Every structure is written in structure tokens, then in C-alpha cells.
Amino acid sequence: MKLSKFIFLFLFAFQFNLNLFAQSKTIDKIIAKVGGEIILYSDWQEQISFLKNKQSTNLDDPSCSILENLLIQKFMINRAKVDSIEIKDEEIEQQLNARLEQILAYFNNDFQKFEEYYGQSVADTRERFKEDLKNQLLAERLQNKIIGDIRVTPEETQAFFDRIPKDSIPYFNSEVEISEIVYKPKVNATQKKAAKEKLEK
């Protein structure tokens, strides 16, 4: 069963706040709840802002797709906790240290630049990232648990595509890859001399 079907079955657990846009000024509020996991308005807006800044062109409004991704993520986290999937503190610390070291290396280990960019100290950033990283690892472990034992053979893949009606198969433009071998021969002294004499004549 696909993940989207799982989510559909658990839609009764979502408690949406229908008055999200009722107030002209919203500081922060819970906009959705999946089991024991909540989604804050500020988290949603932060991801929307990040995606819009990242995109070079104005595409479709990403608000709905981002909220859907957040719901899926929270569902995975909640399900992982229900299934008693555990992440050791040592593993979290190890991955957290590796990621912070990578970020600091980008700033040439300049803590001041780091604080200017993130608006907080390395210690505060560590605490902020810690829970996010734990949730990410929980979601990954659950996903591996769900699809870890799935094995699909090439024959099953071919049979799946053979069942699709020919008029329903999407059209993909042809792609051609062109390569060129360039060889520049070396000119010896005799040939240079002969060419020079010919030009002079």
C-alpha cells in the first residue's frame, strides 16, 4: 500500500485549524496535528519562504505541496514512535557533529560568520537541529522498515508497464547524446619548414 493511502486512512487524526487565515496578524499557531505530532504555521511559512528564495523563477504556489510533505513527514515520525523505533543519542550526536563541522568548514571555521548567518550561536543551533535530526532519522528508519524487504524483479517491472494501456503512456521527447573525438597531430620541424617556405613563395 502506498504511503498516500496510509495517510488517507489516518486523516481522521488530523485536526486542521480552519481559521488559519481568519486573523490578519498571525504570530504562530498549530495548523495541523498528526497523532502526537504538530505542524506550526511558522514552520510551514519558513519552508515556503526557503523554497521561493531557492527557485530562480516564479513557479506554481508551493504552499499546498509543502504542507502535504510536512503531513507525510509528521505521519512517518508518529508512526515510527508508535512502532517503538528508537534512535540512540550517540548516533544523533555523531551525525549532528558531522553536519555542524561541514557547515563550519563552509565558513572556514569562522564562528562569527556562522552566528551572523544563522542568527544564533553554534550551541543554540545544535539544540535547534537536534530534534529535527532525530525526527528525520525516525522517518528514514520507518521508511526502510516498510520498503526494506520489498524485492521487485525486472520481469515484474516489465509486466507492470505492459498492463498500462498504450494510449495512457506519457510521451517523452527523444534524447540524443553526441560526442566528438578531437585529435590534434603534432607538427615536426620538417613540416614547419616546408609550410613556411610555401607561404614565403
Side-chain angles (χ1 to χ4, degrees):
M1 189 180 292
K2 292 183 179 180
L3 185 58
S4 57
K5 291 183 180 178
F6 278 120
I7 294 171
F8 179 77
L9 293 173
F10 283 88
L11 276 177
F12 65 89
F14 300 162
Q15 298 175 7
F16 290 98
N17 190 334
L18 298 180
N19 296 321
L20 176 63
F21 299 104
Q23 299 179 3
S24 58
K25 293 183 180 179
T26 301
I27 297 175
D28 208 359
K29 60 167 66 175
I30 296 172
I31 58 173
K33 186 177 179 183
V34 185
E37 304 300 316
I38 62 171
I39 298 175
L40 296 175
Y41 176 80
S42 58
D43 295 335
W44 181 39
Q45 292 301 309
E46 183 179 352
Q47 291 207 22
I48 292 172
S49 177
F50 174 77
L51 188 61
K52 285 183 176 179
N53 291 334
K54 190 177 180 182
Q55 291 175 344
S56 56
T57 57
N58 294 324
L59 302 176
D60 295 337
D61 186 5
S63 304
C64 290
S65 60
I66 288 175
L67 182 57
E68 182 182 356
N69 289 335
L70 285 171
L71 287 169
I72 293 172
Q73 182 185 20
K74 294 300 182 181
F75 168 77
M76 297 285 282
I77 294 167
N78 181 70
R79 190 69 223 175
K81 290 179 179 179
V82 171
D83 291 352
S84 300
I85 295 175
E86 294 184 0
I87 306 294
K88 293 182 179 179
D89 292 338
E90 295 81 6
E91 184 178 356
I92 296 172
E93 288 295 326
Q94 185 179 3
Q95 292 212 26
L96 194 57
N97 288 336
R99 296 185 186 198
L100 284 173
E101 285 175 7
Q102 188 176 5
I103 295 171
L104 281 168
Y106 178 78
F107 291 108
N108 294 322
N109 292 321
D110 190 328
F111 287 84
Q112 187 175 350
K113 287 183 179 178
F114 179 96
E115 291 178 8
E116 287 175 0
Y117 185 82
Y118 284 98
Q120 56 188 357
S121 66
V122 176
D124 291 336
T125 306
R126 169 187 286 274
E127 288 303 312
R128 180 185 171 189
F129 284 174
K130 192 172 185 178
E131 189 65 25
D132 292 339
L133 180 58
K134 182 180 180 181
N135 289 336
Q136 182 184 342
L137 292 173
L138 279 170
E140 287 176 0
R141 289 288 163 82
L142 178 65
Q143 186 174 357
N144 291 335
K145 182 180 177 181
I146 294 171
I147 65 174
D149 297 329
I150 295 176
R151 298 290 182 268
V152 181
T153 64
E155 291 78 13
E156 290 172 327
T157 304
Q158 185 65 49
F160 170 80
F161 283 102
D162 288 342
R163 286 197 299 269
I164 301 174
K166 300 300 180 184
D167 57 351
S168 299
I169 298 176
Y171 177 78
F172 294 96
N173 291 327
S174 299
E175 293 185 4
V176 180
E177 192 171 302
I178 300 175
S179 59
E180 181 182 7
I181 298 175
V182 178
Y183 178 75
K184 295 181 179 180
K186 293 181 180 180
V187 182
N188 58 37
T190 305
Q191 291 170 324
K192 277 186 177 182
K193 185 179 179 182
K196 185 177 181 180
E197 289 175 353
K198 188 175 181 180
L199 289 170
E200 286 176 348
K201 290 179 181 178

